[in-house]
Amino acid sequence: DISLSTVVHGYRNFLFDIDKGNYGNSGSCNININCPEGTNWQTEKRAVALILKGGSAHCTGTLINNTSNDGTPYFLTAYHCIDGYSPSNFVFVFRHEAATCSGSTGPTQYTINYASVIASGSNSDFALLRLNDTVPLNYNPYFAGWSRESSSATSATGIHHPSGDVKKISLTGRLSSSSYNSSNNDGTHWKVSSWTDGTTEGGSSGSAIFNHNHLIVGQLHGGTAGC
């Protein structure tokens, strides 16, 4: 017996949202992951996926490893990406990237449907999901490592899908301990004062930020970055 709770019928490009316009038009300063800036991040990029909600681009997230190294499909994103929404209705698109530095399209067939919430918190805006299925080997998945160190990263990198576009990379210098939209530094966030290369925008939310050792130290909450 098969029981279906929801059906999404894609009669046009799935990155189209009637309320928000045509996704895939991120700011001109964004940098494709397969540009020279992404040369040293070709392993970590394999962990990153675009999140679709109701057939429209929504957020970004990252496969994250556990201490058992057993391939459990844990997926890190932002709390505000699931707040008021059910991840059981999400679709996760892997390998959505342009093959070249100047390309603007990428494959869309590497998908997984449905996830459940393992843990979440609004204060630091994190959500840890578990994907419904094991990520197939032909998706070429990578489970990113992470660090709990309290010392700030000397440099940081974001890999994400701004405005639902193909996979991009952003680079910056040292992070600083901070809070979100508050003068009271409660140490819940790492602050990117400004991106030195690329930027982030809507759709980048939930994407992992990696330190200089290529380990996850947080996920994107929000901000005022732009080209």
Side-chain angles (χ1 to χ4, degrees):
D1 294 338
I2 298 176
S3 176
L4 300 178
S5 60
T6 304
V7 173
V8 175
H9 177 66
Y11 70 97
R12 61 174 76 176
N13 188 304
F14 70 71
L15 297 183
F16 182 85
D17 184 325
I18 194 170
D19 295 321
K20 298 181 180 179
N22 191 16
Y23 278 98
N25 292 319
S26 63
S28 60
C29 67
N30 280 288
I31 302 167
N32 280 357
I33 187 62
N34 289 320
C35 288
E37 291 85 348
T39 299
N40 294 329
W41 296 91
Q42 294 298 297
T43 299
E44 291 75 19
K45 75 173 187 180
R46 294 158 40 205
V48 178
L50 169 65
I51 302 174
L52 304 181
K53 171 183 66 66
S56 300
H58 181 53
C59 282
T60 301
T62 310
L63 287 172
I64 187 169
N65 204 0
N66 64 43
T67 54
S68 297
N69 292 299
D70 59 6
T72 301
Y74 291 127
F75 190 84
L76 179 68
T77 188
Y79 175 81
H80 74 266
C81 292
I82 68 166
D83 188 22
Y85 306 107
S86 173
S88 63
N89 295 325
F90 289 176
V91 176
F92 304 85
V93 186
F94 291 86
R95 298 182 61 175
H96 184 50
E97 61 188 68
T100 65
C101 184
S102 59
S104 59
T105 60
T108 57
Q109 70 268 33
Y110 301 101
T111 62
I112 287 180
N113 302 327
Y114 183 85
S116 54
V117 179
I118 299 299
S120 65
S122 59
N123 194 32
S124 61
D125 195 49
F126 87 95
L128 181 66
L129 311 181
R130 179 171 178 162
L131 303 183
N132 186 49
D133 294 311
T134 300
V135 185
L137 291 180
N138 68 319
Y139 287 21
N140 196 24
Y142 175 72
F143 294 83
W146 42 271
S147 172
R148 297 193 306 164
E149 290 184 1
S150 58
S151 57
S152 62
T154 56
S155 63
T157 300
I159 304 174
H160 53 102
H161 290 278
S163 296
D165 212 336
V166 291
K167 197 172 294 178
K168 307 289 185 178
I169 186 168
S170 302
L171 307 171
T172 190
R174 182 177 291 275
L175 302 174
S176 59
S177 178
S178 183
S179 57
Y180 188 69
N181 282 344
S182 172
S183 58
N184 177 27
N185 181 4
D186 58 8
T188 56
H189 289 68
W190 292 117
K191 182 178 180 180
V192 175
S193 296
S194 64
W195 294 107
T196 54
D197 298 277
T199 189
T200 49
E201 17 181 297
S204 304
S205 288
S207 59
I209 191 163
F210 296 90
N211 67 11
H212 52 279
N213 291 320
H214 291 230
L215 300 175
I216 295 174
V217 293
Q219 71 291 324
L220 181 63
H221 186 161
T224 58
C227 290

